[in-house]
Amino acid sequence: MADKIIFRDLEVRSVLGNDGWERKRAQPLLITVEIHTSISSAGRADTVAESVHYGIACKRVTAFAESSHGLQSLEAFAEGVVRACLGVTPRALAVYAFVRKPRALLHAQYAGVEIFRTRLEALGSWGADGAGSGGSEAAAHAERAAAQAAAGALADEDRIVVKKLSLSTIIGVNLWERHYRQVVDMDLTLHAARGAGGDRVPRYRNFRTVVDAVTEVAEKSSYRTVEALATAIARTAIKHCRVPKITVRVEKPSALVFAACSAVEITRCAADFAAASAAPTPAQASTPASGPALHAAYVALGTNIGDRLANLHQALDRLDAGLPESCVVETSFLYETAPMYLADQPPFLNAAVLVRTGLDPQALLAELKRIEAEMGRDFSAVRNGPRAIDLDILFYDELVMQSEALTIPHALMHERRFQLAPLCDIDRDLMHHRLGKTSGALYRHLTTHSDVPDDIVRVTPLRTRRHAPPAPGEGADAASLLKALSPGVQRETLFMGILNCTPDSFSDGGLYAALDSAAERVAEMLAAGAAIIDVGGQSTRPGATQIGADEEIARVVPVIRRIREQGISVPISVDTFSAQVAAAALDAGADIVNDVSGGSFDPEMLPLVARRKCPYILMHMRGTPASMAQLADYGEYDGDVVRGTRFELAQRVRRALDAGVPRWNIILDPGIGFAKEGAQNFEILRRLPELTARHIRAAPGRATTGSDAGAGKDSEEGFLDENLAADLVGYPVLVGSSRKRFIGAVTGKSDARDRAWGTAATVTAAVQGGASIVRVHDVAEMADVARVSDHIYRR
């Protein structure tokens, strides 16, 4: 039996989360309800008492909607609608509810949620046997079975629907379609496993997150077919927003003269993009395939007294090795922030980590308090005052809880940039189940809709310890050196001066092998404006002979010691791919490891860098210096060297993070000249911002001859489907193009020392592309070039 009592498009007013303008105000909601019951008795007796009274149901739903229910999500509200309808009479056996929010999105007709619940699922029992069936137990069982069967596909899933999302994009194959944007209308249906009632957001990310991602793809793409656009939308929702299943309908109203539209509708699930979804999320990566169940806990770290960087590194070690049944699996970047709540105190250094733990939340909190106490936090001091370390649990799986000692998700996180910014580095799509927003949406709201001062700056360590006695009045924090290297914040390009203590480097081999000449060269580069000195004892030019670690140590360690003996505290990097050499150089006073192999030559390199907590320049190359010239074919990436470099760099970054290297200590180097031929190096410089972009587009097709030379410009079609092992957004970038062969090939300068003018052009390109550091031989000359470039591109 499939009898229903229905009311459609009941309009109510309710405060339910935020509206399309991010305001918490009463919004119109349209509610359609189908109450499954048996009308046999009412049909015979023509008596309202024998049926479900739709008038009473409407009143109860309206009262619920306009009450102070405090709900944030459509899902939770729909559950409340179901319970209100079931409460009218025991004859109500099941309820289908479709709740629409017409003002939820600026560019869509509505967002809505569809659910189906039986009385047993929603209330825990069917009620008295025989209710509504003339007392017949057999009839009651038959009616309940019919009500359950009526659910159809909604027996297994709930759905969120976004209707007629209107976006403007380049779409089509005709010439005019390649030059003018068209409006496309999209219907999105997000499928998810059945919720468990209460204010629980299903495991897919909420519709605002999905719509934001879909909008970015559609408005920045230029697909030729609606099929490709629909597939890209589905892939984005599944891969980036973690929707388990989605139905996408894309309508093109302008496609046909005598029809309203042409349309494509597809349904895709995670299995359809198995290759694209292979990289696990941080939380997924934290769960082993077997063994005891472990939980994902996101922990915020803050410090503002003593040596702040050392405090964070000590806390990181304690979280990784000092917590029972726990380890750190992901780290954020570092942020320097002004104090909140109590302004008269030093600025904070903040970060976040993802901890895999077997501890329950209360036990984890107790362990964090123990670590704070052991590191010297004074719990009797004024609340929100200065502290050596502060550890807060932000999220614990998808748990929502509140006790006297602990609230999860963290109660004040939504108003704190210093917690949200590092959290977004790890997972910007984490759902705050109380507020119905992701961490990325909460951070964006603080940035665009809040009076909270924008006083947070991402910083990168270039030195982690003191090399000279403290100056009068210099605090403990001066032992480290933190630099703001984000493109939007950095005002001056940093110079890394090259000091090759080798007899066979391609441009200055043998010039600085002697200790005195090396020391003089360091003084010259510092006077010219070098911020970092890069000391190398092993040539990495094509075909260079590899020497042993002992010989390399003998070349670089005395130079580093001489620099430190002269009282110079500028950061020193050691250019090596040997962990043994790196360790010796760090012991002698070096600060940074500059590894051309990105950790691929020596298996001990990444563990060493993780243990020593030193900054690490991770470069892209293929093969070895002897073989890299033969490995410049990027055919597996459709010949796109930027895409290949980005993809392979992401793999090496992932290995570094998995080895325990903090995210905040990693600097990327695309490896100009390493396994790249001449034109490929110019391509990297031209498209340098794409290296750390969130999405990358296909390079335009290249026509080869004659009148077709410009035809390739229209072949760009949307975003590439990448499966990066690690997100590269936010990492600072170093470019080392100085005097290299590809410059000589263009300028005709065979002698590397004559390539300064050509190098100047590449430095300008690097600054324009957002490089934080340039590695150069001619520091004085390039300083002038970069300073002018800084005023053009950075200020």
PDB file of all heavy atoms in Angstrom, residues 553-568:
ATOM      1  N   ILE A 553      83.086  16.842   2.525  1.00  0.00           N
ATOM      2  CA  ILE A 553      83.149  17.431   3.869  1.00  0.00           C
ATOM      3  C   ILE A 553      84.414  18.270   4.026  1.00  0.00           C
ATOM      4  O   ILE A 553      84.385  19.384   4.585  1.00  0.00           O
ATOM      5  CB  ILE A 553      83.084  16.332   4.940  1.00  0.00           C
ATOM      6  CG1 ILE A 553      81.678  15.716   4.977  1.00  0.00           C
ATOM      7  CG2 ILE A 553      83.453  16.883   6.316  1.00  0.00           C
ATOM      8  CD1 ILE A 553      81.569  14.487   5.853  1.00  0.00           C
ATOM      9  N   ALA A 554      85.511  17.763   3.512  1.00  0.00           N
ATOM     10  CA  ALA A 554      86.780  18.490   3.613  1.00  0.00           C
ATOM     11  C   ALA A 554      86.727  19.818   2.860  1.00  0.00           C
ATOM     12  O   ALA A 554      87.442  20.763   3.205  1.00  0.00           O
ATOM     13  CB  ALA A 554      87.916  17.630   3.067  1.00  0.00           C
ATOM     14  N   ARG A 555      85.898  19.917   1.852  1.00  0.00           N
ATOM     15  CA  ARG A 555      85.783  21.160   1.091  1.00  0.00           C
ATOM     16  C   ARG A 555      84.875  22.179   1.766  1.00  0.00           C
ATOM     17  O   ARG A 555      85.174  23.381   1.756  1.00  0.00           O
ATOM     18  CB  ARG A 555      85.242  20.867  -0.313  1.00  0.00           C
ATOM     19  CG  ARG A 555      86.190  20.082  -1.199  1.00  0.00           C
ATOM     20  CD  ARG A 555      85.532  19.785  -2.548  1.00  0.00           C
ATOM     21  NE  ARG A 555      86.426  19.034  -3.431  1.00  0.00           N
ATOM     22  CZ  ARG A 555      86.110  18.650  -4.665  1.00  0.00           C
ATOM     23  NH1 ARG A 555      84.898  18.934  -5.144  1.00  0.00           N
ATOM     24  NH2 ARG A 555      86.979  17.985  -5.405  1.00  0.00           N
ATOM     25  N   VAL A 556      83.745  21.745   2.349  1.00  0.00           N
ATOM     26  CA  VAL A 556      82.744  22.711   2.810  1.00  0.00           C
ATOM     27  C   VAL A 556      82.833  23.033   4.298  1.00  0.00           C
ATOM     28  O   VAL A 556      82.579  24.180   4.697  1.00  0.00           O
ATOM     29  CB  VAL A 556      81.318  22.222   2.473  1.00  0.00           C
ATOM     30  CG1 VAL A 556      81.159  22.046   0.976  1.00  0.00           C
ATOM     31  CG2 VAL A 556      80.955  20.952   3.217  1.00  0.00           C
ATOM     32  N   VAL A 557      83.172  22.061   5.126  1.00  0.00           N
ATOM     33  CA  VAL A 557      83.141  22.289   6.574  1.00  0.00           C
ATOM     34  C   VAL A 557      84.127  23.365   7.015  1.00  0.00           C
ATOM     35  O   VAL A 557      83.769  24.260   7.806  1.00  0.00           O
ATOM     36  CB  VAL A 557      83.354  20.964   7.331  1.00  0.00           C
ATOM     37  CG1 VAL A 557      83.677  21.236   8.805  1.00  0.00           C
ATOM     38  CG2 VAL A 557      82.105  20.088   7.225  1.00  0.00           C
ATOM     39  N   PRO A 558      85.381  23.380   6.537  1.00  0.00           N
ATOM     40  CA  PRO A 558      86.291  24.461   6.960  1.00  0.00           C
ATOM     41  C   PRO A 558      85.773  25.850   6.566  1.00  0.00           C
ATOM     42  O   PRO A 558      85.972  26.823   7.308  1.00  0.00           O
ATOM     43  CB  PRO A 558      87.591  24.123   6.236  1.00  0.00           C
ATOM     44  CG  PRO A 558      87.529  22.651   6.009  1.00  0.00           C
ATOM     45  CD  PRO A 558      86.090  22.368   5.737  1.00  0.00           C
ATOM     46  N   VAL A 559      85.137  25.959   5.413  1.00  0.00           N
ATOM     47  CA  VAL A 559      84.606  27.255   4.985  1.00  0.00           C
ATOM     48  C   VAL A 559      83.490  27.703   5.915  1.00  0.00           C
ATOM     49  O   VAL A 559      83.436  28.868   6.332  1.00  0.00           O
ATOM     50  CB  VAL A 559      84.099  27.164   3.528  1.00  0.00           C
ATOM     51  CG1 VAL A 559      83.399  28.462   3.129  1.00  0.00           C
ATOM     52  CG2 VAL A 559      85.252  26.881   2.584  1.00  0.00           C
ATOM     53  N   ILE A 560      82.604  26.799   6.251  1.00  0.00           N
ATOM     54  CA  ILE A 560      81.501  27.147   7.151  1.00  0.00           C
ATOM     55  C   ILE A 560      82.039  27.556   8.516  1.00  0.00           C
ATOM     56  O   ILE A 560      81.582  28.552   9.113  1.00  0.00           O
ATOM     57  CB  ILE A 560      80.516  25.962   7.269  1.00  0.00           C
ATOM     58  CG1 ILE A 560      79.845  25.694   5.914  1.00  0.00           C
ATOM     59  CG2 ILE A 560      79.459  26.232   8.340  1.00  0.00           C
ATOM     60  CD1 ILE A 560      79.040  24.411   5.864  1.00  0.00           C
ATOM     61  N   ARG A 561      83.036  26.823   9.004  1.00  0.00           N
ATOM     62  CA  ARG A 561      83.621  27.174  10.307  1.00  0.00           C
ATOM     63  C   ARG A 561      84.269  28.544  10.262  1.00  0.00           C
ATOM     64  O   ARG A 561      84.148  29.335  11.205  1.00  0.00           O
ATOM     65  CB  ARG A 561      84.621  26.103  10.713  1.00  0.00           C
ATOM     66  CG  ARG A 561      83.968  24.803  11.190  1.00  0.00           C
ATOM     67  CD  ARG A 561      85.003  23.768  11.514  1.00  0.00           C
ATOM     68  NE  ARG A 561      84.390  22.550  12.051  1.00  0.00           N
ATOM     69  CZ  ARG A 561      84.977  21.363  12.068  1.00  0.00           C
ATOM     70  NH1 ARG A 561      86.224  21.224  11.574  1.00  0.00           N
ATOM     71  NH2 ARG A 561      84.357  20.324  12.568  1.00  0.00           N
ATOM     72  N   ARG A 562      84.979  28.842   9.151  1.00  0.00           N
ATOM     73  CA  ARG A 562      85.628  30.146   9.038  1.00  0.00           C
ATOM     74  C   ARG A 562      84.585  31.271   9.067  1.00  0.00           C
ATOM     75  O   ARG A 562      84.791  32.291   9.726  1.00  0.00           O
ATOM     76  CB  ARG A 562      86.432  30.202   7.738  1.00  0.00           C
ATOM     77  CG  ARG A 562      86.964  31.599   7.380  1.00  0.00           C
ATOM     78  CD  ARG A 562      88.043  32.081   8.354  1.00  0.00           C
ATOM     79  NE  ARG A 562      89.276  31.356   8.156  1.00  0.00           N
ATOM     80  CZ  ARG A 562      90.240  31.732   7.299  1.00  0.00           C
ATOM     81  NH1 ARG A 562      90.082  32.823   6.562  1.00  0.00           N
ATOM     82  NH2 ARG A 562      91.344  31.024   7.188  1.00  0.00           N
ATOM     83  N   ILE A 563      83.473  31.085   8.380  1.00  0.00           N
ATOM     84  CA  ILE A 563      82.423  32.104   8.358  1.00  0.00           C
ATOM     85  C   ILE A 563      81.902  32.348   9.772  1.00  0.00           C
ATOM     86  O   ILE A 563      81.733  33.491  10.211  1.00  0.00           O
ATOM     87  CB  ILE A 563      81.279  31.675   7.424  1.00  0.00           C
ATOM     88  CG1 ILE A 563      81.761  31.603   5.978  1.00  0.00           C
ATOM     89  CG2 ILE A 563      80.094  32.636   7.537  1.00  0.00           C
ATOM     90  CD1 ILE A 563      80.754  30.991   5.029  1.00  0.00           C
ATOM     91  N   ARG A 564      81.669  31.280  10.510  1.00  0.00           N
ATOM     92  CA  ARG A 564      81.141  31.430  11.866  1.00  0.00           C
ATOM     93  C   ARG A 564      82.193  32.014  12.812  1.00  0.00           C
ATOM     94  O   ARG A 564      81.850  32.808  13.714  1.00  0.00           O
ATOM     95  CB  ARG A 564      80.638  30.086  12.380  1.00  0.00           C
ATOM     96  CG  ARG A 564      79.414  29.535  11.648  1.00  0.00           C
ATOM     97  CD  ARG A 564      78.278  30.521  11.658  1.00  0.00           C
ATOM     98  NE  ARG A 564      77.077  29.995  10.990  1.00  0.00           N
ATOM     99  CZ  ARG A 564      76.250  30.733  10.306  1.00  0.00           C
ATOM    100  NH1 ARG A 564      76.443  32.048  10.189  1.00  0.00           N
ATOM    101  NH2 ARG A 564      75.185  30.204   9.730  1.00  0.00           N
ATOM    102  N   GLU A 565      83.456  31.652  12.604  1.00  0.00           N
ATOM    103  CA  GLU A 565      84.520  32.199  13.457  1.00  0.00           C
ATOM    104  C   GLU A 565      84.665  33.700  13.287  1.00  0.00           C
ATOM    105  O   GLU A 565      85.127  34.397  14.189  1.00  0.00           O
ATOM    106  CB  GLU A 565      85.848  31.504  13.134  1.00  0.00           C
ATOM    107  CG  GLU A 565      85.912  30.059  13.632  1.00  0.00           C
ATOM    108  CD  GLU A 565      87.099  29.305  13.058  1.00  0.00           C
ATOM    109  OE1 GLU A 565      87.838  29.906  12.240  1.00  0.00           O
ATOM    110  OE2 GLU A 565      87.279  28.123  13.405  1.00  0.00           O
ATOM    111  N   GLN A 566      84.243  34.207  12.128  1.00  0.00           N
ATOM    112  CA  GLN A 566      84.316  35.647  11.883  1.00  0.00           C
ATOM    113  C   GLN A 566      83.118  36.389  12.462  1.00  0.00           C
ATOM    114  O   GLN A 566      82.986  37.594  12.264  1.00  0.00           O
ATOM    115  CB  GLN A 566      84.411  35.911  10.375  1.00  0.00           C
ATOM    116  CG  GLN A 566      85.731  35.431   9.768  1.00  0.00           C
ATOM    117  CD  GLN A 566      85.789  35.616   8.262  1.00  0.00           C
ATOM    118  OE1 GLN A 566      84.759  35.701   7.599  1.00  0.00           O
ATOM    119  NE2 GLN A 566      86.996  35.687   7.721  1.00  0.00           N
ATOM    120  N   GLY A 567      82.240  35.659  13.165  1.00  0.00           N
ATOM    121  CA  GLY A 567      81.102  36.295  13.812  1.00  0.00           C
ATOM    122  C   GLY A 567      79.937  36.580  12.890  1.00  0.00           C
ATOM    123  O   GLY A 567      79.028  37.337  13.238  1.00  0.00           O
ATOM    124  N   ILE A 568      79.944  35.969  11.725  1.00  0.00           N
ATOM    125  CA  ILE A 568      78.863  36.181  10.754  1.00  0.00           C
ATOM    126  C   ILE A 568      77.705  35.240  11.090  1.00  0.00           C
ATOM    127  O   ILE A 568      77.894  34.025  11.168  1.00  0.00           O
ATOM    128  CB  ILE A 568      79.365  35.924   9.319  1.00  0.00           C
ATOM    129  CG1 ILE A 568      80.463  36.943   8.964  1.00  0.00           C
ATOM    130  CG2 ILE A 568      78.224  35.990   8.318  1.00  0.00           C
ATOM    131  CD1 ILE A 568      81.156  36.653   7.656  1.00  0.00           C
TER     132      ILE A 568
END
